[in-house]
Amino acid sequence: MNKLCPYGSHRVIAPQGALPQAAQRIDNRIPMQANELLIQVETLNVDSASFTQIRQACGDDRDRMAAMILDIVNTRGKLQNPVTGSGGMLLGRVKDKGADHPGQVKPGDAVATLVSLSLTPLRLERIKAIHMDSDQVDVEGEAILFETGIFAVLPPDIPQKVALAALDVAGAPAQTHRLVKPGNSVLVLGASGKSGVLCCVQAKLDAGPEGRVIGLCYDETEAEELRQLQACDVILMGDARKPLDIYHQVLAANRREKVDLSISVVNIPDSEMSAILPVKQSGTVYFFSMATHFAKAALGAEGVASDARMLIGNGYTPGHGQFTLDLLRSHPGLMKLFASRYDRKD
Ligand code: NAP
């Protein structure tokens, strides 16, 4: 085995020299090392783009989905969807802590990882249940966190699966807070999804009464749930894969002007141009969606002479976990929506 590395490169099998996220295969078999944390895994929160791809590939058949998830983990040593490249995160209890691991936790503590499953060594004994509506999978298994692998100790005042769902996308509302200025116009694509509702609520808080938050939804039931939150000034219905339709709808909703910022939190490919086209030359496009394709965004923007700044949605922002849990706590409607969606027993 390679020398112990804070980033986990000692577990990389192939290609040698890569870090765990980019590796094709990592070693999930070796015992916990001195700089690692061993977690007894209870639930996987599969990244939405990945879960959607797995559902489609398996025709929504739970047995086939379970087999596909097990196959990915057995082949790669981690849950990294080979098509989307993304993972998700997990909920579990600390089983053991290496002598050199810096985490302030002890065995038995309930934690959620804040680094992607696409780089987390994972061994699954079995899949107990797949929850189609929440993208969560109950499992028996073990995972390893590296020295640099951040995690959150689960708070006692929020149901665990609600916290898990919110922490999965914690980077999105925290980045929204950094990006939105008072008076800004903001378009959120995928506005009624998990990160979408968080971004809309946060964007409205930051844009203030002079600002304009425009939410693009795809599903009428979810859109109604978003409407109840009163976070959006306008809610549009449309398909983010149809950029001209979205562009014209946004102009009509924003006094014939392009917006200052767009935030893409859809879970499907081919939506890059709907996020770029409605944004001002001086504006910003924030791609949080894991289904975003770099070449489509870069070449598409060039093709329409857009000079908007484009940001990759890094899942990490300092303090993002706490920020997002506090956002939930501060908004009873948001908490209720998350509980109804992600704390279900089915
Ligand atoms: P989510 O809850 O599934 O929300 C996605 C939303 O997009 C849903 O409301 C969905 O509507 C909508 N949508 C689907 N197809 C659409 C279309 N053609 N036009 C317009 N809207 C459409 O997903 P999430 O958990 O919030 O995640 C959002 C994105 O962030 C995903 O791509 C995920 O992979 C990514 N993500 C990124 C990071 C990161 O670190 N950057 C971390 C976590 C997640 P329906 O429900 O009607 O399909």
Side-chain angles (χ1 to χ4, degrees):
M1 189 178 61
N2 303 331
K3 192 166 159 289
L4 291 186
C5 162
Y7 309 114
S9 68
H10 53 278
R11 283 188 179 265
V12 171
I13 297 173
Q16 280 292 312
L19 286 173
Q21 208 283 334
Q24 285 296 315
R25 253 184 89 207
I26 59 176
D27 197 339
N28 59 358
R29 300 275 149 200
I30 51 175
M32 185 194 72
Q33 302 296 299
N35 67 344
E36 295 176 339
L37 195 67
L38 179 64
I39 298 173
Q40 184 78 48
V41 185
E42 293 168 6
T43 301
L44 304 172
N45 193 100
V46 183
D47 169 73
S48 176
S50 171
F51 195 80
T52 303
Q53 193 279 328
I54 292 170
R55 277 183 77 151
Q56 284 170 354
C58 298
D60 278 355
D61 179 317
R62 281 186 167 84
D63 290 339
R64 287 175 61 199
M65 291 173 71
M68 185 170 169
I69 290 169
L70 288 172
D71 182 55
I72 293 172
V73 173
N74 290 337
T75 308
R76 299 198 149 205
K78 55 181 178 171
L79 182 56
Q80 182 175 35
N81 184 313
V83 177
T84 64
S86 57
M89 28 89 78
L90 63 84
L91 179 152
R93 288 188 183 273
V94 174
K95 195 170 177 188
D96 201 0
K97 183 165 102 72
D100 300 333
H101 189 275
Q104 301 293 313
V105 276
K106 54 183 186 323
D109 285 351
V111 293
T113 55
L114 293 174
V115 287
S116 174
L117 288 173
S118 68
L119 59 83
T120 303
L122 179 66
R123 256 198 327 255
L124 292 182
E125 301 307 326
R126 77 184 178 101
I127 291 185
K128 290 165 36 181
I130 298 183
H131 305 282
M132 299 298 248
D133 289 337
S134 64
D135 305 353
Q136 294 182 349
V137 181
D138 295 332
V139 299
E140 269 174 27
E142 287 183 344
I144 293 282
L145 267 195
F146 305 128
E147 214 174 312
T148 50
I150 52 172
F151 60 89
V153 177
L154 289 169
D157 62 325
I158 299 179
Q160 290 194 347
K161 289 195 171 180
V162 170
L164 179 68
L167 290 169
D168 173 37
V169 294
Q175 275 290 353
T176 298
H177 176 53
R178 276 185 170 178
L179 292 171
V180 179
K181 306 293 172 232
N184 274 175
S185 48
V186 183
L187 167 66
V188 180
L189 303 112
S192 57
K194 191 198 309 165
S195 36
V197 292
L198 291 166
C199 289
C200 289
V201 169
Q202 188 57 50
K204 191 61 201 164
L205 286 172
D206 290 315
E210 303 303 316
R212 199 164 183 80
V213 177
I214 302 167
L216 173 71
C217 298
Y218 196 50
D219 173 271
E220 191 44 63
T221 310
E222 275 192 3
E224 185 49 39
E225 291 175 340
L226 175 63
R227 207 167 279 125
Q228 299 297 324
L229 296 180
Q230 299 184 339
C232 292
D233 297 279
V234 185
I235 291 181
L236 305 175
M237 300 302 299
D239 183 343
R241 293 164 297 192
K242 298 186 173 157
L244 283 172
D245 174 45
I246 304 306
Y247 172 69
H248 290 299
Q249 284 206 59
V250 172
L251 287 193
N254 197 42
R255 306 178 187 98
R256 308 307 310 166
E257 276 189 18
K258 293 187 178 185
V259 295
D260 298 299
L261 169 69
S262 75
I263 299 172
S264 176
V265 283
V266 294
N267 57 358
I268 40 94
D270 297 322
S271 56
E272 290 81 0
M273 291 315 293
S274 288
I276 294 170
L277 214 46
V279 174
K280 291 175 183 167
Q281 290 290 15
S282 58
T284 299
V285 185
Y286 177 53
F287 285 115
F288 190 73
S289 166
M290 281 293 158
T292 306
H293 193 280
F294 181 86
K296 288 178 188 172
L299 300 176
E302 178 190 80
V304 296
S306 168
D307 189 32
R309 178 173 69 132
M310 296 197 278
L311 298 178
I312 294 177
N314 178 354
Y316 173 71
T317 306
H320 62 327
Q322 196 58 43
F323 181 93
T324 300
L325 294 179
D326 284 345
L327 180 63
L328 269 186
R329 288 186 181 104
S330 71
H331 196 303
L334 198 53
M335 181 72 91
K336 197 167 155 218
L337 174 57
F338 262 67
S340 71
R341 284 191 188 174
Y342 305 114
D343 196 28
R344 291 160 52 146
K345 307 293 174 229
D346 61 327

